[in-house]
Amino acid sequence: MVISGLSIKITAPIVIISALAIGLTAFLNLGKFERTFSELERSRIRFVVSDLRANLETGLGLGLALKGLANAQAVIESEAKSDPSILSISLYDESGTVVFHTGEALLSNTIPAEWKSAATAKDARDWQLAEEDALVVGTSLASVIGVDAGGMALRYSRQAHDSVVDSVAESLKLAAVLGTLLTGLIAMLGISLIVVQTNRKLTRIEQSLRDITNDKPQAPVATGGSEADVLIDSVVTSTRAAMQDLAGTQKILKTRLSAEASGKQP
């Protein structure tokens, strides 16, 4: 099937609109996936932090100070080993001094100012903030009488998160490109077929009118029974009748002119 210039002109806007629609859909789906995945990941980390807090506050409930919890180091080390994405876990007292720590080394023996600001920014016990390469989820610790005993901060790597999001983005990008190409191909073939059929019918009408003009016998056009064929047959029939009337009128005029020229009455 030959692709005409008209088919390309009609198909181009369709392909552009389809590409924009498919691309926007893929972008929105990626954003929705990332938000859902991030929330799921944060919920899981908050659960881990809450479980550690409950374990540690059991000792605090006995009246011990945070630095007096003998099992605190073992608890956070065990949790860090259970998930390779946990970069570090830090336990700090009410002054912000790190008492127990496991994982990546801290730059100082006190927690960063950003952590302290996030921990005191709202009344809720839990807090979180995003670093360049990690998500930090923290919580405050309270003694048996509700006095602030410090807090805990868990740094979780964003590498696995970014890897999953990038993989989904690549899949959506590939699907969007394939969808656009498929839409363009189907539109091109469909429009080309319509244009070819229309051209054939116009050619048939042109040929029929030419045959009528040359007084050639013309077979009925409407063979398929479609509305277009019926319309073509009607046009051809009307044109044939008009041509016959014109031919008859022309013959009468010639006869009268000849009679007048010879001085006879018809």
Side-chain angles (χ1 to χ4, degrees), residues 62-134:
L62 299 175
L64 299 175
L66 180 60
K67 60 183 178 181
L69 298 179
N71 65 331
Q73 187 65 35
V75 168
I76 61 175
E77 288 181 355
S78 175
E79 189 63 43
K81 291 178 181 179
S82 65
D83 189 347
S85 294
I86 296 178
L87 299 178
S88 66
I89 302 177
S90 303
L91 300 179
Y92 54 90
D93 59 19
E94 60 275 11
S95 66
T97 301
V98 177
V99 180
F100 300 101
H101 178 80
T102 184
E104 292 183 352
L106 293 174
L107 298 179
S108 66
N109 61 346
T110 59
I111 61 173
E114 293 82 2
W115 295 12
K116 185 176 296 185
S117 299
T120 58
K122 56 182 181 179
D123 297 333
R125 298 187 64 181
D126 299 327
W127 55 272
Q128 64 182 32
L129 58 87
E131 295 181 345
E132 183 177 357
D133 60 343

Side-chain angles (χ1 to χ4, degrees), residues 174-244:
L174 178 60
V177 172
L178 292 178
T180 302
L181 293 177
L182 183 61
T183 300
L185 179 60
I186 294 175
M188 179 70 73
L189 293 177
I191 293 174
S192 297
L193 181 61
I194 294 174
V195 170
V196 169
Q197 290 178 346
T198 303
N199 288 336
R200 287 177 180 174
K201 291 176 181 178
L202 292 175
T203 302
R204 289 164 58 190
I205 294 176
E206 182 182 0
Q207 183 62 41
S208 298
L209 295 176
R210 187 180 294 111
D211 291 342
I212 293 173
T213 303
N214 297 330
D215 293 331
K216 292 183 179 180
Q218 177 65 30
V221 178
T223 58
S226 65
E227 293 182 2
D229 287 337
V230 172
L231 179 61
I232 294 173
D233 188 36
S234 177
V235 171
V236 172
T237 302
S238 300
T239 304
R240 185 183 293 114
M243 293 297 292
Q244 290 175 353

